[in-house]
Each structure stands twice: as C-alpha cells, then as structure tokens.
Amino acid sequence: MANQKQSGPEPPIKVSTINCIDLSNPDIGESVALLKQACLDCGFFYVVNHGISQEFMDEVFAQSKKFFYLPLNEKLKVLRNEKHRGYTPMFDKVLDPDNQVHGDYKEGYYIGVDVPENDPESEKPFNGPNVWPADGVLPGWRQTMEKFHHEALEVGKAVSRIIALALDLEVDFFDKPEVLGKPIATLRLLHYEDQFSDPAKGIYGAGAHSDFGFITLLATDDVMGLQICKDKDAKPQIWEYVTPIKGAFIVNLGDMLERWSNCPPCTEFWGMVKTDILF
C-alpha cells in the first residue's frame, strides 16, 4: 500500500529498505531470489540498468514539466476522455475517501496503447486512440512520450519474466497473448503541487491505496515523497519513505498479480502494466 507526499519529508522520518534488481545481471537466479523476497516483504523493489538511457529519462521529465506548466486553459483542451486518455486536473482523484477532505493534490496525463477508433479492439475497456497537445503548443512532445511508452513497456515485460520464474512458471508465461500479449499499458505523467500532506487535516498528495493492476513502474525526481506501508492491518499503520535512486524505477506489485498468484479468483484476465512519471 502506498501514498504520496510532496516537497520532501520533515524530520524525523522512517525510510524503508527495499531490494534492488539489476536487469543486466547475468545471474537470473539472484534476481529471482531478490524479487521473491520483495514479494514477501512489501511488494516494492527498485529496477536498475533497465535499458532506458538517463539522457532520455531526463528528456521525458523535462517534456512532462513543459506540459504541466502550460496555462490551465491549454491543458483543459486535452481533458481525459471516456477511454482514459488525456489530462486530469488537480483534485480529480480521491484514493482514500474515508480520510481525504479534498482529492489528491496532483494533476496527471494519461497515455495508453494507441488503438484507432475504426479498430474493433477500440470497443474494449481502456482501448482507443490517444489525445495529444497540438504540435504548435509542444513540438516533439508526442514523439517523446510514444517512445517512452514503448521502452517502459519493454522494461515491464522484462520484470514480468522474472516474476514468472519466481512463481515457478515458464519464463515467457506473461508474454502469452491472453496475458500480456496485448497489455493495457498506461503511462501516467503526474505533477504534485508544492504542498505538504497533512493527515490531521485530510490533505494528501495521493491518498493511501494499493494499485489494482499487474505491476507499476514509478520514475521519480529527487524529492522523497513516496511512502509505503508494509502491513495495512497494523494498528497504527507504519508508513516509511522510499528513497529515490536516479535513473531507477520503483516497481510496485499490484492487486491483479496478488489474485493471479493464488488469492481469490479474478473475474477478468487483463494484462495491466502502468508506468508513472512523478515530479
């Protein structure tokens, strides 16, 4: 379970220690062991040497900031549609309605697998064409995000192969057409306001939640904002910060994987991979 604060923590703080998996490591057995332990511990781990260059990661963050620094009226021109593509304003989402007074102190932008409207696949949930700012407003923005969406999906698939081995499955189990062959892969750009969370007042960057998909890849700036709770049933809950590592993804295992790996049966068998860019 995770939530998000902004602008860095105020001391004293608790910082979590989570495993780090090197995707360039030739010893796949070591990576499988680290992932297994992460699953038993908290469901979070770092991924490094994933094949996306630091230069390109920096460009994605820079382009993300360019969008969110646009005037609100420009951003509202690409407001999120029924296919979950486009811009979501501040307070749009309430992840923890029991404790939040307002919605999350963040704005976002959703990008998915691009499926033309005349394609029968576009009738399925979360499938459809993307929406983009005009080239004249943000030249090259679409091309950067399409490239990053593709490269991040490949990282997600690489992680899924380690997960398969950790579950004693064939390495390509999640590559099958009925699983991640045609994934619902969503890229979300997220911008948090310069506002500290204040639980006593019901103010949160992102309320406490678990992710509902298969896995989430989190790319963050250098602000320590992400918190995780390793035992949601603890009284009181203990929340720990996750330290950002430049160039790394923080991987969050989602509810769907929990069900697939022997919790109550899931009614739908979709492949959901999500990549979040946080700043």
Side-chain angles (χ1 to χ4, degrees), residues 144-201:
T144 297
M145 296 309 166
E146 285 181 328
K147 179 182 176 183
F148 184 70
H149 183 278
H150 171 76
E151 293 192 7
L153 178 56
E154 291 306 307
V155 177
K157 289 181 177 180
V159 173
S160 77
R161 294 175 190 123
I162 301 175
I163 293 173
L165 293 174
L167 292 170
D168 297 321
L169 301 170
E170 295 180 358
V171 67
D172 63 349
F173 176 83
F174 291 110
D175 290 323
K176 294 178 181 179
E178 64 269 27
V179 189
L180 291 182
K182 291 184 177 180
I184 302 170
T186 301
L187 167 61
R188 288 195 312 169
L189 311 176
L190 298 174
H191 172 223
Y192 288 85
E193 281 289 286
D194 188 14
Q195 166 79 40
F196 278 105
S197 293
D198 189 342
K201 297 180 179 179

Coordinates of all heavy atoms in Angstrom, one line a residue, residues 144-201:
T144 N 8.2 12.0 -28.1 CA 8.9 11.7 -26.9 C 8.1 10.7 -26.0 O 8.6 9.7 -25.5 CB 9.3 12.9 -26.0 OG1 10.1 13.8 -26.8 CG2 10.0 12.5 -24.7
M145 N 6.8 11.0 -25.8 CA 6.0 10.2 -24.9 C 5.7 8.8 -25.6 O 5.6 7.8 -24.9 CB 4.7 10.9 -24.5 CG 5.0 12.2 -23.7 SD 6.0 11.8 -22.3 CE 6.5 13.5 -21.8
E146 N 5.5 8.8 -26.9 CA 5.3 7.5 -27.5 C 6.5 6.6 -27.4 O 6.4 5.4 -27.2 CB 4.9 7.7 -29.0 CG 3.5 8.3 -29.2 CD 3.2 8.5 -30.7 OE1 4.1 8.8 -31.5 OE2 2.0 8.3 -31.0
K147 N 7.7 7.2 -27.6 CA 8.9 6.4 -27.5 C 9.1 5.9 -26.0 O 9.4 4.7 -25.8 CB 10.1 7.2 -27.9 CG 11.4 6.5 -27.7 CD 12.6 7.4 -28.1 CE 13.9 6.7 -27.9 NZ 15.1 7.6 -28.2
F148 N 8.8 6.7 -25.1 CA 8.9 6.3 -23.7 C 7.9 5.2 -23.3 O 8.2 4.3 -22.6 CB 8.8 7.5 -22.7 CG 9.1 7.1 -21.3 CD1 10.4 6.8 -20.9 CD2 8.1 7.1 -20.4 CE1 10.6 6.4 -19.6 CE2 8.3 6.7 -19.0 CZ 9.6 6.4 -18.7
H149 N 6.7 5.4 -23.8 CA 5.7 4.4 -23.5 C 6.2 3.0 -24.0 O 6.0 2.0 -23.3 CB 4.4 4.8 -24.2 CG 3.2 3.8 -24.0 ND1 3.1 2.7 -24.7 CD2 2.2 3.9 -23.1 CE1 2.0 2.0 -24.3 NE2 1.4 2.8 -23.3
H150 N 6.7 3.0 -25.2 CA 7.2 1.7 -25.8 C 8.4 1.1 -25.0 O 8.4 -0.1 -24.7 CB 7.6 1.9 -27.2 CG 8.3 0.8 -27.9 ND1 7.7 -0.4 -28.3 CD2 9.7 0.5 -28.1 CE1 8.5 -1.2 -28.7 NE2 9.7 -0.7 -28.6
E151 N 9.3 2.0 -24.6 CA 10.5 1.5 -23.9 C 10.1 1.1 -22.5 O 10.7 0.1 -22.0 CB 11.6 2.6 -23.9 CG 12.2 2.9 -25.3 CD 13.4 3.7 -25.3 OE1 14.0 3.9 -24.2 OE2 13.9 4.1 -26.4
A152 N 9.3 1.8 -21.8 CA 8.9 1.4 -20.5 C 8.1 0.1 -20.5 O 8.2 -0.7 -19.6 CB 8.0 2.5 -19.8
L153 N 7.3 -0.1 -21.5 CA 6.6 -1.4 -21.6 C 7.5 -2.6 -21.7 O 7.3 -3.6 -21.2 CB 5.6 -1.4 -22.8 CG 4.8 -2.7 -23.1 CD1 4.0 -3.1 -21.9 CD2 3.9 -2.5 -24.3
E154 N 8.6 -2.4 -22.5 CA 9.6 -3.4 -22.6 C 10.3 -3.7 -21.2 O 10.6 -4.9 -20.9 CB 10.7 -3.0 -23.6 CG 10.2 -3.0 -25.0 CD 9.5 -4.3 -25.5 OE1 10.2 -5.4 -25.3 OE2 8.4 -4.3 -25.9
V155 N 10.5 -2.7 -20.4 CA 11.0 -2.9 -19.1 C 10.0 -3.7 -18.3 O 10.4 -4.6 -17.5 CB 11.3 -1.5 -18.4 CG1 11.8 -1.8 -16.9 CG2 12.4 -0.8 -19.1
G156 N 8.7 -3.3 -18.4 CA 7.7 -4.1 -17.7 C 7.7 -5.6 -18.0 O 7.5 -6.4 -17.2
K157 N 7.9 -5.8 -19.3 CA 7.9 -7.2 -19.8 C 9.1 -8.0 -19.2 O 9.0 -9.1 -18.9 CB 7.8 -7.3 -21.3 CG 6.5 -6.9 -21.9 CD 6.5 -7.0 -23.4 CE 5.1 -6.6 -24.0 NZ 5.0 -6.7 -25.4
A158 N 10.2 -7.3 -19.2 CA 11.4 -7.9 -18.6 C 11.2 -8.2 -17.1 O 11.6 -9.3 -16.7 CB 12.6 -6.9 -18.7
V159 N 10.6 -7.4 -16.4 CA 10.3 -7.6 -15.0 C 9.3 -8.8 -14.9 O 9.4 -9.7 -14.0 CB 9.7 -6.4 -14.3 CG1 9.2 -6.7 -12.9 CG2 10.7 -5.3 -14.2
S160 N 8.3 -8.9 -15.8 CA 7.3 -9.9 -15.8 C 7.9 -11.3 -15.9 O 7.4 -12.3 -15.4 CB 6.2 -9.7 -16.8 OG 6.7 -10.1 -18.1
R161 N 9.0 -11.4 -16.7 CA 9.7 -12.7 -16.9 C 10.4 -13.1 -15.6 O 10.4 -14.3 -15.3 CB 10.7 -12.5 -18.0 CG 10.0 -12.3 -19.4 CD 10.9 -12.0 -20.5 NE 10.2 -11.6 -21.7 CZ 10.3 -10.5 -22.3 NH1 11.3 -9.6 -22.0 NH2 9.6 -10.1 -23.4
I162 N 10.9 -12.2 -14.8 CA 11.5 -12.6 -13.5 C 10.4 -13.0 -12.6 O 10.5 -14.0 -11.8 CB 12.3 -11.4 -12.9 CG1 13.4 -11.0 -13.9 CG2 12.9 -11.8 -11.6 CD1 14.2 -9.8 -13.4
I163 N 9.2 -12.3 -12.6 CA 8.1 -12.7 -11.8 C 7.6 -14.1 -12.2 O 7.3 -14.9 -11.3 CB 6.9 -11.7 -12.0 CG1 7.3 -10.3 -11.4 CG2 5.6 -12.2 -11.3 CD1 6.3 -9.3 -11.7
A164 N 7.6 -14.4 -13.5 CA 7.2 -15.8 -13.9 C 8.1 -16.8 -13.3 O 7.6 -17.9 -12.8 CB 7.2 -15.9 -15.4
L165 N 9.4 -16.6 -13.3 CA 10.4 -17.6 -12.8 C 10.2 -17.7 -11.3 O 10.3 -18.8 -10.7 CB 11.8 -17.2 -13.1 CG 12.1 -17.3 -14.6 CD1 13.5 -16.7 -14.9 CD2 12.1 -18.7 -15.1
A166 N 9.9 -16.6 -10.6 CA 9.7 -16.6 -9.2 C 8.5 -17.4 -8.8 O 8.4 -17.9 -7.7 CB 9.6 -15.2 -8.6
L167 N 7.5 -17.5 -9.7 CA 6.3 -18.3 -9.5 C 6.4 -19.7 -10.0 O 5.4 -20.4 -10.1 CB 5.1 -17.6 -10.2 CG 4.7 -16.2 -9.6 CD1 3.6 -15.5 -10.5 CD2 4.1 -16.4 -8.2
D168 N 7.6 -20.1 -10.4 CA 7.9 -21.4 -11.0 C 7.1 -21.7 -12.3 O 6.7 -22.8 -12.5 CB 7.6 -22.5 -9.9 CG 8.5 -22.4 -8.7 OD1 9.7 -22.1 -8.9 OD2 8.0 -22.7 -7.6
L169 N 6.9 -20.6 -13.1 CA 6.3 -20.7 -14.4 C 7.4 -20.6 -15.5 O 8.5 -20.3 -15.2 CB 5.3 -19.6 -14.5 CG 4.2 -19.5 -13.5 CD1 3.4 -18.2 -13.7 CD2 3.2 -20.7 -13.7
E170 N 7.0 -20.9 -16.7 CA 7.9 -20.7 -17.8 C 8.2 -19.2 -17.9 O 7.3 -18.4 -17.7 CB 7.2 -21.2 -19.1 CG 7.0 -22.7 -19.1 CD 6.4 -23.2 -20.4 OE1 6.1 -22.3 -21.3 OE2 6.1 -24.4 -20.6
V171 N 9.4 -18.9 -18.4 CA 9.9 -17.6 -18.4 C 9.0 -16.7 -19.2 O 8.8 -15.5 -18.9 CB 11.4 -17.5 -18.8 CG1 11.5 -17.9 -20.3 CG2 11.9 -16.1 -18.6
D172 N 8.4 -17.2 -20.3 CA 7.6 -16.4 -21.2 C 6.1 -16.5 -20.9 O 5.2 -16.1 -21.7 CB 7.8 -16.8 -22.6 CG 7.5 -18.2 -22.9 OD1 7.2 -19.0 -22.0 OD2 7.4 -18.6 -24.1
F173 N 5.7 -16.9 -19.7 CA 4.3 -17.1 -19.3 C 3.5 -15.9 -19.6 O 2.4 -15.9 -20.1 CB 4.2 -17.6 -17.9 CG 2.7 -17.7 -17.4 CD1 2.0 -18.9 -17.7 CD2 2.1 -16.7 -16.8 CE1 0.7 -19.0 -17.3 CE2 0.8 -16.8 -16.4 CZ 0.1 -18.0 -16.6
F174 N 4.0 -14.7 -19.1 CA 3.2 -13.5 -19.2 C 3.3 -12.9 -20.6 O 2.7 -11.8 -20.8 CB 3.7 -12.5 -18.1 CG 3.4 -12.9 -16.7 CD1 4.3 -13.4 -15.8 CD2 2.0 -12.9 -16.3 CE1 4.0 -13.7 -14.5 CE2 1.7 -13.3 -15.0 CZ 2.7 -13.7 -14.1
D175 N 4.1 -13.4 -21.4 CA 4.2 -12.9 -22.8 C 3.1 -13.5 -23.7 O 2.9 -13.1 -24.8 CB 5.5 -13.3 -23.5 CG 6.7 -12.5 -22.9 OD1 6.5 -11.3 -22.5 OD2 7.8 -13.0 -22.7
K176 N 2.3 -14.5 -23.2 CA 1.3 -15.1 -23.9 C 0.2 -14.1 -24.3 O -0.1 -13.2 -23.6 CB 0.7 -16.3 -23.1 CG 1.7 -17.4 -22.8 CD 1.0 -18.5 -22.0 CE 2.0 -19.6 -21.7 NZ 1.4 -20.7 -20.9
P177 N -0.4 -14.3 -25.5 CA -1.4 -13.4 -26.0 C -2.5 -13.1 -25.0 O -3.0 -12.0 -24.9 CB -2.0 -14.0 -27.2 CG -0.9 -14.9 -27.7 CD -0.2 -15.4 -26.5
E178 N -3.0 -14.1 -24.2 CA -4.1 -13.9 -23.3 C -3.7 -13.2 -22.0 O -4.5 -12.9 -21.2 CB -4.8 -15.2 -23.0 CG -3.9 -16.2 -22.2 CD -3.1 -17.2 -23.2 OE1 -2.8 -16.7 -24.3 OE2 -2.8 -18.3 -22.8
V179 N -2.4 -12.9 -21.8 CA -1.9 -12.3 -20.6 C -1.4 -10.9 -20.9 O -2.1 -9.9 -20.9 CB -0.9 -13.1 -19.9 CG1 -0.6 -12.6 -18.5 CG2 -1.4 -14.6 -19.7
L180 N -0.1 -10.8 -21.3 CA 0.5 -9.5 -21.7 C 0.8 -9.4 -23.1 O 1.5 -8.5 -23.6 CB 1.8 -9.3 -20.9 CG 1.6 -9.0 -19.4 CD1 2.9 -8.7 -18.7 CD2 0.6 -7.9 -19.1
G181 N 0.2 -10.3 -23.9 CA 0.4 -10.2 -25.4 C -0.1 -8.9 -25.9 O 0.5 -8.2 -26.8
K182 N -1.3 -8.5 -25.4 CA -1.9 -7.2 -25.8 C -2.2 -6.4 -24.5 O -3.4 -6.4 -24.1 CB -3.1 -7.3 -26.7 CG -2.8 -7.9 -28.1 CD -4.1 -7.9 -28.9 CE -3.7 -8.4 -30.3 NZ -5.0 -8.4 -31.2
P183 N -1.2 -5.9 -23.8 CA -1.5 -5.3 -22.5 C -2.2 -4.0 -22.5 O -2.2 -3.3 -23.5 CB -0.1 -5.1 -21.9 CG 0.7 -4.9 -23.1 CD 0.2 -5.8 -24.2
I184 N -3.0 -3.8 -21.4 CA -3.5 -2.4 -21.2 C -2.4 -1.7 -20.5 O -2.3 -1.7 -19.3 CB -4.8 -2.5 -20.3 CG1 -5.8 -3.3 -21.0 CG2 -5.3 -1.1 -20.1 CD1 -7.0 -3.7 -20.1
A185 N -1.5 -1.1 -21.3 CA -0.3 -0.4 -20.7 C -0.5 1.1 -20.7 O -0.7 1.7 -21.7 CB 0.9 -0.8 -21.6
T186 N -0.5 1.6 -19.5 CA -0.8 3.0 -19.3 C 0.4 3.8 -18.8 O 1.0 3.4 -17.9 CB -2.0 3.2 -18.3 OG1 -3.2 2.6 -18.8 CG2 -2.3 4.7 -18.1
L187 N 0.7 4.9 -19.5 CA 1.7 5.8 -19.0 C 1.0 7.0 -18.4 O 0.2 7.6 -19.0 CB 2.6 6.3 -20.2 CG 3.5 7.5 -19.9 CD1 4.5 7.2 -18.8 CD2 4.3 7.9 -21.2
R188 N 1.3 7.3 -17.1 CA 0.7 8.5 -16.4 C 1.8 9.4 -16.1 O 2.8 9.1 -15.4 CB 0.0 8.1 -15.2 CG -1.3 7.4 -15.4 CD -2.1 7.3 -14.1 NE -1.3 7.0 -12.9 CZ -1.7 7.1 -11.6 NH1 -2.9 7.6 -11.4 NH2 -0.9 6.7 -10.6
L189 N 1.7 10.7 -16.5 CA 2.6 11.7 -16.1 C 1.9 12.4 -14.9 O 0.7 12.7 -15.0 CB 2.8 12.8 -17.2 CG 3.2 12.2 -18.6 CD1 3.3 13.3 -19.6 CD2 4.5 11.4 -18.5
L190 N 2.6 12.6 -13.8 CA 2.0 13.1 -12.6 C 2.8 14.3 -12.1 O 4.0 14.3 -12.0 CB 1.9 12.1 -11.5 CG 1.0 10.9 -11.8 CD1 1.1 9.8 -10.7 CD2 -0.5 11.3 -12.0
H191 N 2.1 15.4 -11.7 CA 2.7 16.6 -11.1 C 2.0 16.9 -9.8 O 0.8 17.1 -9.7 CB 2.5 17.8 -12.1 CG 3.0 19.1 -11.5 ND1 2.3 20.2 -11.6 CD2 4.1 19.4 -10.8 CE1 2.9 21.2 -11.0 NE2 4.0 20.7 -10.5
Y192 N 2.8 16.9 -8.7 CA 2.3 17.2 -7.4 C 2.6 18.6 -7.0 O 3.7 19.2 -7.3 CB 3.0 16.2 -6.4 CG 2.6 14.8 -6.5 CD1 3.2 13.9 -7.4 CD2 1.5 14.3 -5.7 CE1 2.7 12.6 -7.5 CE2 1.1 13.0 -5.8 CZ 1.7 12.2 -6.7 OH 1.3 10.9 -6.8
E193 N 1.6 19.2 -6.4 CA 1.7 20.6 -6.0 C 2.7 20.7 -4.9 O 3.0 19.8 -4.1 CB 0.3 21.1 -5.5 CG -0.6 21.5 -6.6 CD -0.1 22.8 -7.3 OE1 -0.3 23.9 -6.8 OE2 0.4 22.7 -8.5
D194 N 3.2 21.9 -4.7 CA 4.2 22.2 -3.6 C 3.4 22.4 -2.3 O 3.3 23.5 -1.8 CB 5.0 23.5 -4.0 CG 6.1 23.7 -3.0 OD1 6.5 22.8 -2.2 OD2 6.7 24.8 -3.0
Q195 N 2.9 21.3 -1.8 CA 2.0 21.3 -0.7 C 2.3 20.0 0.2 O 2.3 18.9 -0.3 CB 0.6 21.2 -1.1 CG -0.5 20.9 -0.1 CD -0.8 22.1 0.8 OE1 -0.9 23.2 0.3 NE2 -0.9 21.9 2.1
F196 N 2.7 20.2 1.5 CA 2.9 19.1 2.3 C 1.6 18.4 2.6 O 0.5 19.0 2.9 CB 3.5 19.5 3.7 CG 5.0 19.7 3.6 CD1 5.6 21.0 3.6 CD2 5.9 18.6 3.6 CE1 6.9 21.2 3.5 CE2 7.2 18.8 3.6 CZ 7.8 20.1 3.5
S197 N 1.6 17.1 2.7 CA 0.5 16.3 3.2 C 0.3 16.6 4.7 O 1.2 16.8 5.4 CB 0.7 14.8 3.0 OG 0.7 14.5 1.6
D198 N -1.0 16.7 5.1 CA -1.3 16.9 6.5 C -2.4 16.0 6.9 O -3.6 16.4 6.7 CB -1.7 18.4 6.7 CG -1.8 18.7 8.2 OD1 -1.9 17.8 9.0 OD2 -1.8 19.9 8.5
P199 N -2.1 14.8 7.3 CA -3.2 13.8 7.6 C -4.2 14.3 8.6 O -5.4 14.0 8.5 CB -2.4 12.6 8.1 CG -1.1 12.7 7.5 CD -0.8 14.2 7.4
A200 N -3.8 15.1 9.5 CA -4.7 15.6 10.5 C -5.8 16.5 9.9 O -6.9 16.6 10.5 CB -3.9 16.4 11.6
K201 N -5.5 17.1 8.8 CA -6.4 17.9 8.1 C -7.0 17.2 6.8 O -7.8 17.9 6.1 CB -5.8 19.2 7.7 CG -5.3 20.1 8.8 CD -4.7 21.4 8.4 CE -4.2 22.3 9.5 NZ -3.6 23.5 9.1

